[in-house]
């Protein structure tokens, strides 16, 4: 297996001229080639391929599995690398020795839910394209672009995000969602250049100064980009507001409103209804179900805090 620093032995076996003309031929022939660590770049992740068999993994498959595992470990730094790694492991069945149930295996190793798993596999190609343009988008941003890609094309989705970045010094989740919403329905064959001009028109209005994740009214804050400091999405260990703090009172009200909304939603949905919707219109129902699961996961992470003893 190639190491991080490999010696390139294909260099010409001759004396170097110029500044280092006096070096021996063998010294001039060897040059250091820096190679990325497995899992740190898209190129280090093997492309999805069909399984080589159903028995034990081959040496190559084991090497691919380790690269993919490292790629998933890179989730919080570059989710598109993790998404590619997940798709490769699923398609090639590289998990078959450890656990034949892929979703269960992923949860046991990385605590990635099945909903998030499918979302990451669906998003990584858009994330890769934006990364190749020099952007480092958040997963939530690309989620909106992936929805737009399904409606139109890869080129339109990439054009929209690239235009937003070029027009605004700070890209927020609220801004991305507002632009996609304001664009409204777009036909499948819409011209990417026309959409780009429309985005520039939408962004010509004065920029909002409100923080990206500042809660508004009864909204549940978006915490999809958090989690670097704490596995539960908390940014620090600082104590919360006291019970007498007016802000804490508003937080209690927000929790109560969220609970009421969830209770109301639970009355309206069940497995039978979801199954009928998927069977009738899978292309419409599946993204809706994925988005519901994503929002529930955000809420779950938002309230996954350490509670006082006795609660």
């Amino acid at each position: 297996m190639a190491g991080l620093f490999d010696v390139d032995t294909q260099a010409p076996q001759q004396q170097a001229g110029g500044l280092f003309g006096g070096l021996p031929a063998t010294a001039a022939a060897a040059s250091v080639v820096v190679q990325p660590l497995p899992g740190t770049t898209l190129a280090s992740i093997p492309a999805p391929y069909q399984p080589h068999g159903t028995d034990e993994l081959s040496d190559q498959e084991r090497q691919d599995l380790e690269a993919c595992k490292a790629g998933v470990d890179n989730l919080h730094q570059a989710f598109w690398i993790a998404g590619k790694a997940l798709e490769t492991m699923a398609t090639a069945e590289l998990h078959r020795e450890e656990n034949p149930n892929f979703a269960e295996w992923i949860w046991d190793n990385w605590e990635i839910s099945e909903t998030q798993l499918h979302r990451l596999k669906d998003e990584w190609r858009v994330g890769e394209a934006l990364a190749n343009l020099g952007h480092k988008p958040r997963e939530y941003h690309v989620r909106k672009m992936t929805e737009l890609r399904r409606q139109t094309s890869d080129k339109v989705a990439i054009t929209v995000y690239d235009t937003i970045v070029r027009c605004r010094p700070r890209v927020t989740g609220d801004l991305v969602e507002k632009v996609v919403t304001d664009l409204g329905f777009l036909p499948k064959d819409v011209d990417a250049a026309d959409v780009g001009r429309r985005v520039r028109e939408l962004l010509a209005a004065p920029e909002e100064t409100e923080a990206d994740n500042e809660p508004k009214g009864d909204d549940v804050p978006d915490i999809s980009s958090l989690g670097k400091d704490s596995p539960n999405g908390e940014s620090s260990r600082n104590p919360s507001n006291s019970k007498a703090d007016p802000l804490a009172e508003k937080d209690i009200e927000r929790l109560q409103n969220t609970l009421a909304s969830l209770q109301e939603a639970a009355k309206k949905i069940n497995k039978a209804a979801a199954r009928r919707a998927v069977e009738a219109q899978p292309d419409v129902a599946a993204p809706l179900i994925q988005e519901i699961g994503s929002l529930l996961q955000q809420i779950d992470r938002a309230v996954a805090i350490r509670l006082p003893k006795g609660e």
Side-chain angles (χ1 to χ4, degrees):
M1 185 188 303
L4 176 60
F5 295 99
D6 290 344
V7 176
D8 184 0
T9 58
Q10 302 302 316
Q13 300 293 320
Q14 61 183 19
Q15 286 189 341
L19 182 60
F20 300 101
L23 290 175
T26 54
S31 60
V32 175
V33 178
V34 179
Q35 297 195 357
L37 292 172
T40 59
T41 65
L42 275 168
S44 68
I45 304 294
Y49 59 85
Q50 293 303 308
H52 293 173
T54 58
D55 299 325
E56 294 184 355
L57 299 179
S58 65
D59 290 342
Q60 182 60 54
E61 285 179 311
R62 294 184 193 282
Q63 184 175 328
D64 291 346
L65 176 59
E66 291 307 311
C68 288
K69 285 182 175 180
V72 180
D73 290 337
N74 202 29
L75 175 60
H76 291 299
Q77 298 299 323
F79 70 87
W80 50 92
I81 296 177
K84 181 181 180 181
L86 289 167
E87 183 173 347
T88 295
M89 289 190 293
T91 305
E93 298 181 358
L94 299 180
H95 57 94
R96 62 183 184 269
E97 282 188 349
E98 299 183 29
N99 188 337
N101 187 316
F102 183 67
E104 184 178 278
W105 180 68
I106 290 297
W107 175 258
D108 289 343
N109 283 277
W110 293 281
E111 292 190 356
I112 296 175
S113 69
E114 190 167 1
T115 299
Q116 186 182 13
L117 165 63
H118 291 301
R119 194 173 66 236
L120 288 168
K121 288 166 59 179
D122 194 33
E123 293 169 350
W124 75 264
R125 288 175 176 82
V126 174
E128 174 190 17
L130 294 176
N132 288 339
L133 290 176
H135 306 313
K136 193 174 181 181
R138 296 180 180 182
E139 193 261 340
Y140 175 74
H141 298 175
V142 172
R143 191 185 315 161
K144 303 304 295 184
M145 294 303 102
T146 303
E147 294 172 8
L148 193 60
R149 176 180 65 83
R150 293 196 202 99
Q151 181 183 344
T152 55
S153 65
D154 291 348
K155 189 173 182 180
V156 169
I158 293 165
T159 298
V160 168
Y161 191 83
D162 184 62
T163 305
I164 295 174
V165 173
R166 293 176 185 276
C167 291
R168 290 290 173 85
R170 179 171 176 265
V171 179
T172 69
D174 285 346
L175 177 61
V176 171
E177 185 165 6
K178 185 177 187 306
V179 168
V180 173
T181 301
D182 290 348
L183 282 173
F185 174 78
L186 297 173
K188 191 73 174 177
D189 58 350
V190 66
D191 183 70
D194 291 340
V195 177
R197 284 190 289 271
R198 174 61 179 152
V199 172
R200 286 193 291 273
E201 292 174 359
L202 292 172
L203 295 175
E207 183 177 2
E208 295 182 5
T209 58
E210 188 171 17
D212 178 18
N213 293 323
E214 182 68 21
K216 294 171 291 184
D218 297 336
D219 292 347
V220 177
D222 170 33
I223 48 82
S224 60
S225 61
L226 301 181
K228 294 183 179 179
D229 299 324
S230 164
N232 293 330
E234 298 171 286
S235 59
S236 69
R237 296 180 179 270
N238 294 333
S240 60
N241 295 298
S242 67
K243 294 181 179 179
D245 193 325
L247 181 58
E249 293 295 329
K250 292 182 178 179
D251 290 339
I252 292 295
E253 183 180 355
R254 185 176 294 114
L255 289 173
Q256 292 172 334
N257 290 334
T258 300
L259 176 59
S261 297
L262 289 172
Q263 289 173 333
E264 187 64 25
K267 299 176 183 177
K268 299 179 180 179
I269 192 66
N270 54 54
K271 285 188 176 181
R275 191 178 296 111
R276 287 194 300 269
V278 170
E279 291 174 353
Q281 291 183 283
D283 56 332
V284 176
L288 292 174
I289 291 174
Q290 289 180 348
E291 186 65 16
I292 291 172
S294 173
L295 292 173
L296 289 175
Q297 185 181 37
Q298 287 185 28
I299 295 172
D300 182 59
R301 288 174 57 191
V303 299
I305 62 174
R306 183 175 298 175
L307 298 175
K309 291 183 179 180
E311 294 291 335

